Amino acid sequence: MEFKHISVLLEESVDYLNCKEGGTYVDCTLGGGGHSEQILKKIGSTGHLVGIDQDASAIKAAGERLSKYEGRVDLVKDNYSNLSYVLDELGIEKVDGFIFDLGVSSYQLDTPERGFSYKYEAPLDMRMNRNSHRTAANLVNNLSEDELAGIIEDYGEENWAKRIAQFIVEARSEKRIETTTELVGIIKAAIPATVRRSGPHPARRTFQALRIAVNDELGIIEGAIKDGVSRLKKKGRISIITFHSLEDRIVKHTYKELAKKCTCPPKFPICTCDTERQVKIITRNPILPSEEEIEANARSRSAKLRVAQRL
């Protein structure tokens, strides 16, 4: 299947980087290479771009798309949680900007055999990095009822999490749950018919929750932001697109933490924490997609862009 992914908030996210001719930039979630190509157009023939993605299919597709920029691009198959290691291996100490486009790509959702979507019959996989040993099937068949309920409630914000977990445990006692359609059937049985008739697909939140858990998507965001900020040059920027309220909350709070001047209690006569303010928040309110973009690409609807600048 051809790697297809529409870059969300493309112009806005790259424009906010204030790309400099000859600068060095890192696309931490390469995907199909849309944001990377936009950056390369702005940084000129002496600019350098590093693209990171844990999905081999993304690396291959972006490599083909960016082949005309040969000599100016390094593509690395890795997780952005290893950002500092990647830069060290490339001999890069500081960069002018980072861009993150969090969440799952359109290609991953639309490739049935990857098991990300409740729309297709497929093995319960959901791995962004196919070398990982943890799949959605592992979680569904091995976690306790309480652990499953916690994941579905916390990451999926699903009101029926406990009941869904109960039904999963009952079903797997009869037979191991192997496919997306098996899991969808269990979820539908767990959610009352009156609830299923309105709102989104009944399996959407549970599938989202399992995907986040399989790939530890939320657990790596804060550390990656802090690593990125530490590698930014003065006035360098970090541009992050989120698609989920939990992702956005982590980005917002991490920016705020890095922007604090002092963490001492207000009543302290003098500062004893020696906290150094590291960033200035550029986007006090997140940048949202236009109505035109949402109309052209419905998956952009929940996107939010937040940007910070190194002091």
Side-chain angles (χ1 to χ4, degrees):
M1 180 177 173
E2 183 185 353
F3 195 107
K4 289 184 179 179
H5 178 66
I6 302 171
S7 299
V8 172
L9 289 165
L10 177 62
E11 301 287 342
E12 297 90 339
S13 59
V14 175
D15 285 349
Y16 265 96
L17 284 179
N18 282 352
C19 291
K20 300 189 318 185
E21 184 113 6
T24 299
Y25 293 83
V26 183
D27 186 343
C28 297
T29 47
L30 182 64
H35 290 104
S36 287
E37 184 168 29
Q38 189 77 357
I39 291 169
L40 284 160
K41 289 175 182 176
K42 291 178 177 289
I43 61 179
S45 58
T46 57
H48 181 206
L49 180 123
V50 178
I52 303 171
D53 206 294
Q54 61 184 328
D55 192 325
S57 298
I59 294 289
K60 183 176 183 293
E64 293 169 0
R65 179 173 187 165
L66 305 177
S67 58
K68 59 188 172 185
Y69 301 100
E70 189 177 355
R72 298 165 51 192
V73 179
D74 284 303
L75 302 185
V76 182
K77 183 183 177 297
D78 208 330
N79 188 298
Y80 65 74
S81 63
N82 299 320
L83 179 57
S84 287
Y85 171 78
V86 169
L87 294 179
D88 288 343
E89 287 294 293
L90 293 172
I92 298 170
E93 185 179 349
K94 297 283 186 180
V95 306
D96 295 285
F98 292 96
I99 190 164
F100 292 78
D101 181 3
L102 302 180
V104 66
S105 73
S106 298
Y107 167 81
Q108 289 164 334
L109 281 173
D110 295 336
T111 304
E113 62 266 25
R114 300 296 294 269
F116 284 100
S117 177
Y118 47 78
K119 296 178 182 177
Y120 309 114
E121 165 80 21
L124 266 177
D125 194 326
M126 302 194 193
R127 292 171 298 169
M128 293 181 183
N129 177 1
R130 302 185 85 169
N131 293 327
S132 170
H133 297 298
R134 181 167 56 180
T135 67
N138 295 151
L139 301 187
V140 164
N141 288 289
N142 296 314
L143 293 183
S144 70
E145 185 175 319
D146 285 345
E147 287 171 324
L148 279 170
I151 285 172
I152 297 167
E153 183 174 3
D154 293 344
Y155 296 164
E157 299 177 301
E158 170 59 72
N159 293 330
W160 297 92
K162 290 181 180 178
R163 187 170 162 87
I164 291 168
Q166 178 190 342
F167 274 56
I168 286 172
V169 170
E170 288 175 0
R172 78 188 189 194
S173 69
E174 301 287 330
K175 174 189 172 295
R176 182 177 168 85
I177 303 164
E178 299 281 5
T179 69
T180 53
T181 48
E182 286 175 333
L183 182 57
V184 168
I186 294 164
I187 295 166
K188 284 184 174 179
I191 298 177
T194 51
V195 177
R196 295 202 310 270
R197 291 192 193 106
S198 61
H201 191 286
R204 183 175 70 83
R205 293 188 179 95
T206 298
F207 270 63
Q208 172 185 279
L210 289 171
R211 187 203 83 216
I212 289 171
V214 166
N215 298 288
D216 191 25
E217 293 175 40
L218 300 179
I220 61 177
I221 296 173
E222 180 180 347
I225 294 172
K226 291 179 177 178
D227 285 347
V229 167
S230 74
R231 305 300 285 254
L232 276 175
K233 295 177 184 177
K234 185 179 179 182
K235 293 190 176 180
R237 288 189 171 186
I238 182 167
S239 188
I240 304 179
I241 303 165
T242 63
F243 291 86
H244 186 285
S245 60
L246 296 177
E247 292 173 341
D248 182 61
R249 201 173 304 152
I250 293 168
V251 174
K252 180 181 177 180
H253 289 170
T254 305
Y255 279 2
K256 280 187 174 180
E257 181 185 339
L258 294 172
K260 280 183 181 177
K261 291 180 181 177
C262 173
T263 58
C264 293
K267 292 182 180 179
F268 270 35
I270 59 170
C271 174
T272 59
C273 69
D274 294 324
T275 299
E276 188 176 332
R277 189 174 173 221
Q278 297 181 57
V279 303
K280 174 174 70 173
I281 298 172
I282 302 299
T283 51
R284 286 294 166 186
N285 295 308
I287 306 301
L288 306 178
S290 65
E291 289 298 322
E292 291 78 11
E293 179 168 9
I294 293 170
E295 191 174 331
N297 178 18
R299 286 176 179 165
S300 70
R301 186 179 301 278
S302 60
K304 292 181 179 179
L305 168 67
R306 294 186 186 271
V307 183
Q309 178 174 293
R310 187 73 160 101
L311 295 173

